[in-house]
């Protein structure tokens, strides 16, 4: 690890002014589970490290019926896994949290770090994309809300400006008869990175057995986490049937653009997208019928 100057600001304002002062040479540190590994492996050599750990008030899960859900960027993945607010409508979030790495990592890793690190395989991204989440960023020009769909630009690249911090994740209220499921397909179980991640959120028109709304998001099969919009459009407003779900799973697979790497070939990944999407839609459908 190269030499760097280390800061522990006590407020968001202080952190932003440090970012403004040191610009591209500075890096934010939250849980450190991505950053420290990259620094050790000399993938990055920041000259200034700004640890957010002393900033109070960025670790929370707030549920407000009509307004939806707000999560502080410094909330740990273990905190999300256990949060009572995420045991019903937003269960897909705690489900994904429980599948991220090991408990030791989850105790340190934060949701803000998972999204800002912007790995294509980030486990928290697909469920939050499928729930139509947004992120609140703050910098010298003030605050802005960015839909998560527009936040990811490429592997490790986001719309965050050099003087900006992520402070909150926002998720709209979930309509009645909605169920969500995240399935992580990995080679080494929960401790390994996703080979394929699929999140499906289904809202039903119970009376007519129709898919009112379906949101499908994928991880690890494109340069960024993505939505499968053609498959979503295929299902929306249609009568529920096995054939339609199979077709949607196939279309989702076509929408993915995986690469060959040590964790799996592109062909294998495309097939796993199809299989896991089918399972995720079926699982979400079952949950939607029960609430
Ligand atoms: C052994 C191991 C296993 C892992 N397994 C998984 C896995 O299964 N699934 C998975 O998704 N990830 C996995 N990871 C990656 C990592 O644990 C997660 O991405 C984690 O959520 C990162 O959060 P953090 O708080 O540790 O981020 P940090 O390492 O502190 O930061 C990550 C990046 O985000 C930036 N950043 C952090 N917070 C903010 C903020 N509030 N505003 C602006 N920028 C910010 C940092 O500058 C840095 O670039 C694993 C890591 C390890 C070491």
């Amino acid at each position: 690890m190269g030499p760097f100057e280390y800061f522990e600001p006590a407020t968001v304002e202080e952190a932003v002014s440090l970012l403004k002062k040191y610009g591209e040479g500075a890096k934010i540190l939250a849980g450190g589970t991505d950053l420290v590994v990259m620094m050790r492996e000399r993938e990055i050599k920041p000259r200034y490290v700004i640890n957010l750990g002393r900033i109070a008030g960025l670790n929370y899960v707030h549920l407000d019926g009509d307004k939806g859900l707000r999560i502080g960027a410094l909330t740990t993945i273990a905190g999300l896994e256990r949060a009572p607010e995420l045991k019903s409508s937003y269960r897909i979030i705690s489900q994904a949290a429980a599948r991220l790495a090991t408990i030791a990592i989850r105790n340190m890793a934060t949701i803000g770090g998972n999204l800002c690190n912007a790995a294509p395989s980030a486990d928290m991204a697909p469920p939050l994309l499928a729930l139509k989440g947004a992120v609140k960023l703050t910098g010298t020009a003030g605050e802005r809300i960015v839909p998560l769909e527009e936040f990811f630009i490429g592997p490790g690249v986001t719309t965050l400006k050099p003087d900006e911090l992520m402070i909150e994740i926002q998720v709209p209220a979930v309509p009645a008869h909605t169920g969500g499921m995240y399935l992580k397909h990995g080679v080494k179980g929960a401790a390994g990175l996703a080979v394929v991640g699929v999140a499906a959120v289904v809202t039903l028109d119970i009376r007519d057995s129709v898919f009112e709304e379906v949101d499908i998001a994928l991880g690890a099969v494109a340069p960024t986490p993505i939505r499968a919009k053609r498959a979503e459009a295929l299902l929306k407003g249609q009568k529920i049937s096995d054939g339609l779900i199979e077709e949607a799973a196939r279309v989702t697979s076509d929408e993915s653009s995986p690469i060959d790497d040590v964790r799996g070939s592109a062909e294998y990944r495309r097939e796993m997208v199809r299989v896991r999407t089918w399972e995720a839609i079926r699982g979400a459908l079952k949950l939607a019928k029960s609430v």
Side-chain angles (χ1 to χ4, degrees):
M1 224 184 275
F4 57 86
E5 230 178 299
Y6 179 78
F7 300 91
E8 287 187 345
T11 63
V12 168
E13 293 72 29
E14 222 184 293
V16 168
S17 68
L18 286 166
L19 283 175
K20 185 175 183 211
K21 186 167 173 193
Y22 296 117
E24 306 268 0
K27 265 292 182 189
I28 293 293
L29 175 86
T33 60
D34 276 316
L35 187 76
V36 174
V37 173
M38 285 192 261
M39 287 171 68
R40 271 211 204 108
E41 289 169 5
R42 294 183 175 267
E43 282 172 35
I44 52 167
K45 294 178 190 162
R47 282 187 292 136
Y48 308 95
V49 172
I50 303 166
N51 184 353
L52 303 183
R54 276 189 59 224
I55 301 178
L58 287 183
N59 177 357
Y60 56 84
V61 178
H62 285 164
L63 187 55
D64 179 345
D66 293 347
K67 291 193 187 129
L69 180 74
R70 292 185 297 118
I71 302 173
L74 287 187
T75 308
T76 63
I77 302 299
L80 295 176
E81 189 184 355
R82 291 190 296 257
E85 295 85 353
L86 306 180
K87 292 297 169 213
S88 55
S89 303
Y90 298 98
R91 207 173 67 161
I92 189 172
I93 299 175
S94 63
Q95 197 188 15
R99 298 295 320 272
L100 189 150
T102 57
I103 186 67
I105 298 282
R106 296 201 288 275
N107 278 331
M108 294 195 292
T110 65
I111 183 159
N114 192 246
L115 299 176
C116 292
N117 191 57
S121 61
D123 278 311
M124 301 316 297
L128 291 167
L129 275 171
L131 287 166
K132 301 190 182 79
V135 291
K136 192 194 236 184
L137 312 177
T138 187
T140 42
E143 287 182 356
R144 60 185 180 123
I145 310 275
V146 178
L148 200 54
E149 218 182 312
E150 292 165 22
F151 181 68
F152 302 113
I153 294 178
V157 188
T158 69
T159 57
L160 263 176
K161 296 188 180 128
D163 71 344
E164 278 183 324
L165 281 180
M166 181 184 289
I167 52 172
E168 189 174 86
I169 293 88
Q170 303 180 341
V171 185
V174 171
H177 304 305
T178 297
M181 178 155 287
Y182 176 65
L183 294 177
K184 174 176 181 173
H185 186 81
V187 276
K188 288 187 289 178
L193 296 178
V195 173
V196 168
V198 179
V201 174
V202 169
T203 303
L204 292 183
D205 175 340
I206 289 276
R207 218 186 34 197
D208 296 329
S209 292
V210 158
F211 283 114
E212 200 169 296
E213 182 93 37
V214 181
D215 295 284
I216 301 166
L218 307 174
V221 291
T224 65
I226 53 163
R227 291 256 306 268
K229 293 203 171 169
R230 281 197 283 129
E232 292 173 358
L234 184 76
L235 293 168
K236 190 176 169 157
Q238 299 301 314
K239 202 111 183 139
I240 298 163
S241 77
D242 286 344
L244 185 63
I245 297 172
E246 274 166 30
E247 177 61 10
R250 261 195 305 275
V251 170
T252 304
S253 171
D254 289 346
E255 288 185 80
S256 68
S257 52
I259 51 163
D260 294 307
D261 72 8
V262 286
R263 286 181 280 139
S265 69
E267 194 189 347
Y268 174 70
R269 280 188 152 106
R270 256 192 293 271
E271 177 59 6
M272 285 306 112
V273 170
R274 190 188 64 74
V275 172
R276 295 302 192 181
T277 302
W278 184 84
E279 288 175 4
I281 297 172
R282 305 274 311 183
L285 187 59
K286 203 166 165 195
L287 288 168
K289 281 181 182 161
S290 69
V291 289

